[in-house]
Amino acid sequence: MSKELSAVKAQEPEQIHVGIGEYKIAFAPHVLVTLGLGSCVGVTLYDPVMKCGGLLHVMLPDSTAYSRINKPARYADLGVPMLLDELKKLGARRERLEAKLAGGAQMFSGADRQFILNIGQRNVEMVRLMLARLKLRVKGEEVGGNVGRTMYLDTATGLVTIRSLGQGTRTL
């Protein structure tokens, strides 16, 4: 198992935190959570039969612009396939997997779009492209806007909860 993978099976529910450029996998009854989704995108994949899911925190859309990749999960083009592969190794089936996305915000209002390269939008577009290439269906998303988000995946139910300052809590 990779050091980024946490395949947890236990009786007591636990919150498992996923950092920037990381992914983790857990079985029910655990909750995966990632904080600070600004321009970053959180991607969940969930198998409702296995009650198993993964959460990826994507920071950048495309790894090809970089000559040295020391944390591949940081990039949408590498992280999404890695998450799928790890879930499949644990018995998840591609045809059952449900994807949900959150984040991709424009965090600097009034900033020159050329200067910030619209990274949030580019992250969302690349995640969607990778999910389509891998034939994974998107069941829900909350992307764009200009607020940061916290994303939770409840592996017992498959529900994704999004919390953001001033906007309360929503469920995907």
Side-chain angles (χ1 to χ4, degrees):
M1 259 192 244
S2 73
K3 65 181 175 185
E4 293 176 334
L5 174 64
S6 173
V8 179
K9 280 188 174 183
Q11 300 304 318
E12 292 298 314
E14 177 184 345
Q15 252 192 20
I16 300 166
H17 291 268
V18 180
I20 296 171
E22 295 180 346
Y23 69 89
K24 293 193 181 163
I25 293 170
F27 290 85
H30 303 297
V31 175
L32 295 165
V33 61
T34 194
L35 310 169
L37 291 171
S39 59
C40 293
V41 174
V43 182
T44 64
L45 295 179
Y46 181 72
D47 184 326
V49 173
M50 297 267 314
K51 302 274 187 215
C52 175
L55 173 58
L56 166 70
H57 187 132
V58 169
M59 188 175 136
L60 296 167
D62 187 2
S63 66
T64 60
Y66 302 91
S67 60
R68 200 168 109 181
I69 309 290
N70 61 359
K71 204 169 187 181
R74 178 179 296 175
Y75 307 93
D77 65 325
L78 300 176
V80 174
M82 286 171 61
L83 180 61
L84 172 61
D85 287 345
E86 293 295 342
L87 284 164
K88 285 171 45 180
K89 285 178 190 174
L90 296 172
R93 305 273 310 265
R94 177 192 314 258
E95 60 272 11
R96 294 190 306 238
L97 288 172
E98 302 169 348
K100 296 180 183 177
L101 323 175
Q106 170 68 30
M107 296 306 292
F108 305 102
S109 63
D112 181 1
R113 290 173 75 85
Q114 201 107 0
F115 174 72
I116 57 167
L117 304 171
N118 217 7
I119 193 73
Q121 180 181 341
R122 290 176 41 225
N123 281 337
V124 170
E125 289 170 359
M126 182 60 84
V127 166
R128 286 179 180 152
L129 176 65
M130 295 309 301
L131 291 169
R133 282 185 183 167
L134 296 168
K135 296 178 178 40
L136 295 167
R137 62 191 159 107
V138 177
K139 190 169 181 190
E141 64 179 46
E142 184 182 304
V143 296
N146 60 0
V147 296
R149 297 171 173 98
T150 296
M151 182 181 205
Y152 301 83
L153 169 61
D154 182 339
T155 59
T157 64
L159 291 177
V160 170
T161 303
I162 310 296
R163 290 192 179 138
S164 53
L165 193 59
Q167 295 190 347
T169 302
R170 286 133 346 262
T171 303
L172 299 177

